[in-house]
């Protein structure tokens, strides 16, 4: 009886083992590892051009659409170099427009707050709308109280640029050129300007600025895209998390002109050296925040000690897991938290842009440098070259 039981148990066990082995054998062999796509298989970056609109003087304006091999897309016009759309993947791979913009070309011509545009000849404010260079005083148009903002009444954001698209193995882009005439908006010297937009297959959008002059002048070029990494029209950006690689900032007076001091960010709302939510910094009781109605300040980047392209800021949006990094060769960055947006614009999404609907990180020299002898110089002389580069790179975390 005992033996009988043992042998039937043994037979049963043998059957189970045999069945398991058979099932195992009938499993398909594991798939060999997938080879990386060949250059032919990889989807190709493209650039195309379409009509965007016509200015009141009859000048036709174009819109360039750049798409990289990952499907990231940038649309930019030769009117002011305006970026009208920037489609970037989120943590699930879904691509959404993350830049603020308007519905039609005519809306852009009606003087919006510099959405997506190239800013020049002088980015940000010049106090009392004048500056002295080599003993001569130059008077500029006042377009921000008694001051000049973003190049005057008709800055580089409102002119038509020559545009030349290009395609490379791993990038597409447009070279924008514009000659700003001697005396234009009060600035001396014919300024030959070139701004190259490049979209790479590494999800980077870069801006290369170059200028030369035939008379001493001042130059400070930047890009004024507003971002909402949760997607355009998707509420405010107060939940975005910012890290800014700056130990100091330049405090301002109530008209947002720098006082001339360079102050430590320690124990101020401007200390973004460790990741912090924007909402924790714009609703605080602080005179500087009051002056800006939020953050509207120039950060003195740590890179002052490191030449070349270095990391200025990292912004992440927790719900979509999008991350944007800013690298620049510039010594400063104006962080503007969309404080003056007031629901009045024809937003492309149809949802109004209220306060803090977007943020801008404008890499540049410091505001009002032509009147501030202690700030890095923005003077450009004949025979010299103005060169500046900024890269916005997008990823997920
Ligand atoms: C300025 C703000 C201004 C905004 C839009 C920013 O660069 O610092 O004060 O309101 O541009 O014009």
């Amino acid at each position: 009886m005992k033996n009988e039981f043992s042998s039937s148990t043994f037979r049963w066990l043998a059957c189970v083992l045999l069945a398991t082995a058979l099932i195992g054998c009938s499993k398909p062999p594991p798939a060999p590892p997938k080879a990386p796509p060949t250059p032919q298989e990889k989807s190709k970056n493209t650039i195309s051009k379409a009509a965007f609109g016509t200015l009141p003087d009859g000048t036709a304006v174009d819109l360039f659409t750049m798409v990289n091999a990952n499907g990231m897309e940038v649309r930019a016009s030769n009117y002011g170099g305006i970026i009208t759309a920037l489609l970037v993947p989120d943590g699930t791979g879904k691509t959404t427009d993350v830049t603020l913009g308007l519905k039609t070309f005519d809306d852009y011509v009606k003087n919006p707050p510099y959405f997506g545009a190239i800013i020049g000849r002088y980015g940000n404010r010049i106090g009392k709308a004048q500056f002295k260079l080599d003993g001569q005083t130059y008077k500029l148009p006042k377009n921000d109280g008694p001051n000049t903002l973003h190049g005057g009444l008709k800055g580089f954001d409102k002119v038509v640029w020559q545009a030349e698209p290009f395609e490379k193995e791993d990038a597409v882009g447009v070279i924008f050129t514009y000659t700003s005439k001697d005396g234009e908006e009060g600035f001396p010297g014919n300024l030959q300007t070139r701004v190259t937009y490049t979209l790479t297959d590494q999800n980077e959008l870069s801006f290369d600025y170059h200028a030369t002059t035939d008379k001493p002048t001042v130059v400070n070029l930047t890009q004024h895209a507003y971002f909402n990494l949760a997607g355009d029209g998707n509420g405010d950006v107060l939940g975005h998390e910012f890290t800014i690689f700056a130990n100091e900032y330049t405090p301002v007076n109530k008209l947002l002109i720098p006082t001339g001091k360079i102050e430590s960010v320690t124990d101020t709302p401007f200390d973004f050296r460790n990741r912090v939510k924007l909402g924790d910094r714009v609703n605080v009781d602080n005179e500087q925040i009051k002056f800006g109605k939020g953050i509207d300040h120039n950060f003195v980047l740590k890179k002052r000690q490191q030449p070349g392209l270095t990391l200025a800021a990292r912004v992440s949006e927790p719900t979509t897991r999008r991350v944007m990094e800013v690298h620049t060769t510039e010594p400063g960055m104006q962080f503007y938290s969309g404080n003056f947006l007031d629901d009045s614009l024809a937003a492309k999404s149809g949802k109004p842009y209220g306060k803090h609907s977007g943020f801008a990180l404008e890499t540049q020299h410091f505001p009002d440098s032509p009147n501030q002898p202690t700030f890095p110089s923005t003077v450009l002389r004949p025979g010299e070259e103005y060169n500046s580069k900024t890269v916005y790179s997008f990823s997920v975390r």
Side-chain angles (χ1 to χ4, degrees), residues 113-114 124-125 149-150 224 226 256 296 334 336 340 362:
Y114 305 93
N124 215 278
R125 292 175 174 80
L149 175 65
H150 294 332
H224 208 307
Y226 289 64
L256 301 182
D296 192 355
Q334 185 79 11
Y336 172 55
F340 299 110
E362 304 150 62

Side-chain angles (χ1 to χ4, degrees), residues 3 29 52 62 80 107 109 126 133 149 168 189 191 195 204 228-229 234 269-270 273 282 292 342 352 365 377 381:
N3 272 347
F52 187 34
D62 298 318
D107 294 327
V109 179
I126 296 185
L133 178 59
L149 175 65
K168 290 186 190 164
L191 190 77
V195 184
E204 299 158 332
N228 180 343
L229 298 183
N234 211 349
F270 303 96
R273 289 172 294 187
V282 294
D342 61 0
H365 273 53
S377 171
R381 297 184 181 279

